Amino acid sequence: MLALAGYPLGLEFVFLDPAAEACASPLGAHLHADYLDQKALTTFVQQIDVATYEFENVPAPAADFVAARVPFRPAPQALTAGQDRFDEKQMFERLGIPVPRYRPVDSLPALELAAREIGVPAIVKTRRMGYDGKGQVRLRNFSDCASAWQSIGSPALILEAWVPFEREVSCLGVRALDGSVAFYPLVENVHRDGIIRTARPRQNDPLQAQAESYLLRVMKHLDYVGVLAFEFFVVDGQLLANEIAPRVHNSGHWTIEGAETSQFENHLRAVTGLNLGSTAQRGVSVMVNFIGDLPPLAELVNIDRLHLHVYGKTPKPLRKIGHATLTADSEPALDAALADFQQRFGAYL
Ligand code: AMP
């Protein structure tokens, strides 16, 4: 989606992706290699003017290698800031951004002690390499500690208080090379099994200004360039930080049709040193993810104002293999379109 947004700007792409079936490969040269493959990294930097990424678990040594040779944006410190959930939460606290109660845990006795201190229900997460609900186990009772420790299979964990949230929201901001910033409207996200199912931008959300101020603190702290996503829980009408993603984000896919400038174009503008484009909404919109399987194409194309994005990935349970954005001129019209869509294709969402 980054490359699709970049082509009209006249940009060309080289992709380094360890996946044989990299879905971006039809749009540029694909270097099929491990992120830490020095030969591939050398070829990569010889062919490009600027590097960026859309996967937050790129290993830090690969980022450092590239950053030493070509501009690498957002910078390696922005990439690594969100890679460890414990470090990330400490950074939020230092910046005065509220977080759920948490403890680092490195053994079963430490987990049991943390569960007593924090209380149950709670959630155990791996510090590293977790996304889309992977590497997470819910603790309903103290007696779940042993089975959680066994099942999660990593010694570097955090225990986090279970947050009885009213809503989950995210805010996407973009910061240019000259430090100017723009923010998209707050998005309300519905998750199931830790995966976003629908993402709907909200006009004039009362928490917009607060979310922007938290994003700005993180962006300045990391000297950030590009799109940054910040996910929050809403509790008692206040924002509690969940996590950041130093990249374009699933909760911003609606911007392709629903905003004046998509998150993808604005990310590319930022990392290539161009001015940012308007983040204003165009009408109202909602994005739905297709998880595991796709509804029949012949039926989807008959839906008025549905914009389809099929990723060309092999269908697999719990895998995001495409999305659609529904657009409308008013919130009631969008409510009706979404309800109708969910009734017909709920099994795929
Ligand atoms: P994460 O990968 O940390 O964003 O977690 C994925 C999803 O799991 C979140 O979007 C929430 O729906 C849920 N979740 C994660 N942490 C908590 C928590 N502390 N309390 C309640 N729900 C949570």
Side-chain angles (χ1 to χ4, degrees):
M1 286 182 268
L2 278 167
L4 288 170
Y7 268 90
L9 299 176
L11 303 177
E12 291 177 312
F13 294 85
V14 179
F15 308 106
L16 178 69
D17 191 331
E21 282 190 336
C23 60
S25 59
L27 302 169
H30 175 204
L31 294 172
H32 174 212
D34 189 84
Y35 290 121
L36 294 168
D37 180 332
Q38 292 252 333
K39 224 173 116 202
L41 286 171
T42 304
T43 310
F44 183 57
V45 297
Q46 281 167 352
Q47 296 181 5
I48 59 174
D49 302 307
V50 57
T52 189
Y53 46 91
E54 54 86 80
F55 175 58
E56 67 267 43
N57 289 317
V58 172
D64 291 337
F65 182 96
V66 175
R69 290 159 180 85
V70 291
F72 184 85
R73 299 170 182 147
Q77 80 262 15
L79 173 69
T80 50
Q83 283 183 341
D84 182 306
R85 290 183 187 274
F86 179 62
D87 297 347
E88 184 183 25
K89 285 196 165 47
Q90 288 195 307
M91 175 183 73
F92 293 151
E93 287 190 305
R94 277 198 303 276
L95 296 173
I97 302 170
V99 294
R101 282 173 296 132
Y102 66 99
R103 294 279 186 283
V105 161
D106 59 5
S107 67
L108 177 56
L111 177 60
E112 287 168 343
L113 180 65
R116 301 234 166 255
E117 286 173 357
I118 286 192
V120 285
I123 183 162
V124 189
K125 301 181 180 179
T126 54
R127 282 174 62 164
R128 291 182 162 272
M129 295 301 283
Y131 64 97
D132 280 350
K134 295 185 173 74
Q136 302 192 3
V137 181
R138 197 166 162 182
L139 283 189
R140 290 189 166 75
N141 304 294
F142 291 113
S143 56
D144 293 340
C145 285
S147 59
W149 176 256
Q150 286 250 309
S151 72
I152 209 156
S154 161
L157 307 174
I158 62 164
L159 182 73
E160 209 178 285
W162 183 258
V163 180
F165 54 80
E166 291 132 31
R167 298 190 285 155
E168 283 194 88
V169 298
S170 57
C171 191
L172 271 62
V174 55
R175 188 163 180 265
L177 212 48
D178 67 1
S180 54
V181 290
F183 300 94
Y184 288 97
L186 209 72
V187 183
E188 232 173 68
N189 302 313
V190 176
H191 290 77
R192 205 169 60 246
D193 301 324
I195 302 178
I196 292 182
R197 306 295 164 143
T198 64
R200 182 166 179 170
R202 292 293 182 186
Q203 248 152 356
N204 306 319
D205 193 289
L207 293 170
Q208 180 78 30
Q210 186 68 81
E212 288 184 14
S213 114
Y214 292 159
L215 258 172
L216 191 59
R217 282 180 219 180
V218 175
M219 290 197 293
K220 281 189 172 161
H221 174 69
L222 297 172
D223 196 15
Y224 200 86
V225 177
V227 167
L228 177 71
F230 206 149
E231 292 188 88
F232 301 98
F233 302 116
V234 179
V235 199
D236 299 329
Q238 300 293 318
L239 295 175
L240 214 50
N242 178 18
E243 62 181 357
I244 53 166
R247 53 171 170 82
V248 288
H249 193 254
N250 191 193
S251 68
H253 288 3
W254 62 271
T255 59
I256 298 173
E257 293 86 10
E260 290 294 341
T261 315
S262 77
Q263 62 163 348
F264 302 102
E265 179 173 337
N266 257 335
H267 183 78
L268 293 171
R269 285 178 178 232
V271 302
T272 57
L274 297 169
N275 288 340
L276 304 177
S278 164
T279 50
Q281 273 177 277
R282 292 197 288 192
V284 292
S285 56
V286 59
M287 184 223 60
V288 295
N289 271 332
F290 296 122
I291 313 288
D293 208 356
L294 276 180
L297 185 63
E299 288 182 40
L300 290 173
V301 295
N302 291 336
I303 299 172
D304 200 26
R305 301 189 73 169
L306 177 138
H307 307 275
L308 187 60
H309 300 261
V310 176
Y311 304 159
K313 292 184 174 177
T314 309
K316 172 163 108 174
L318 297 183
R319 187 176 207 191
K320 290 175 195 159
I321 55 169
H323 78 266
T325 298
L326 291 161
T327 63
D329 295 325
S330 69
E331 295 286 357
L334 191 64
D335 286 337
L338 179 60
D340 181 53
F341 188 84
Q342 284 175 320
Q343 199 182 8
R344 290 174 63 185
F345 299 112
Y348 298 94
L349 309 180

